[in-house]
């Protein structure tokens, strides 16, 4: 379930997040899904990322009072309409 929009989806359509301890601890995208401890999931869209920041969903998901939110990864989709579908080796925009 996405920590921002609360919608369910297959794990393959969500990014996994974990916490790296430090001062302050920070949330990071866990591409290998190997970080220890509590994990969280978020849709790879800017809309969900911004909603999670507004709602303080990163700290709440990890049950931390102080947590540095992760930066928006460059590989996330800027909107639902801009999702890229693979058609062979050629990328095709969903808006066509």
């Amino acid at each position: 379930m996405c920590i921002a929009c609360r919608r369910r989806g297959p794990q393959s359509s969500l990014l996994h997040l974990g916490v790296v301890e430090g001062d302050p601890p920070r949330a990071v995208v866990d591409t290998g899904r190997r970080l220890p401890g509590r994990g969280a999931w978020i849709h790879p869209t800017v809309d969900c990322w911004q909603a999670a920041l507004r709602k303080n969903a990163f700290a709440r998901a990890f049950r931390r009072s102080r947590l540095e939110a992760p930066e928006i990864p460059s590989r996330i989709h800027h909107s639902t309409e801009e999702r890229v579908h693979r058609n062979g080796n050629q990328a095709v925009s969903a808006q066509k």
Side-chain angles (χ1 to χ4, degrees), residues 1-8 43 55 60:
M1 179 185 314
C2 176
I3 63 171
C5 68
R6 312 300 294 167
R7 285 183 287 152
R8 294 187 182 274
H43 283 110
K55 297 176 180 181
R60 191 172 56 249

Side-chain angles (χ1 to χ4, degrees), residues 13-28:
S13 70
L14 299 167
L15 290 177
H16 186 256
L17 303 169
V19 173
V20 174
E21 296 300 331
D23 189 28
R26 67 188 160 93
V28 295

Side-chain angles (χ1 to χ4, degrees), residues 18-20 22-28 53 56 58-59 62 64-71:
V19 173
V20 174
D23 189 28
R26 67 188 160 93
V28 295
L53 290 170
N56 198 28
F58 295 107
F62 292 107
R64 305 283 178 114
S65 59
R66 198 177 94 191
L67 181 75
E68 186 177 314
E71 294 181 21

Side-chain angles (χ1 to χ4, degrees), residues 40-52:
W41 300 89
I42 189 167
H43 283 110
T45 64
V46 171
D47 294 339
C48 280
W49 209 271
Q50 289 173 341

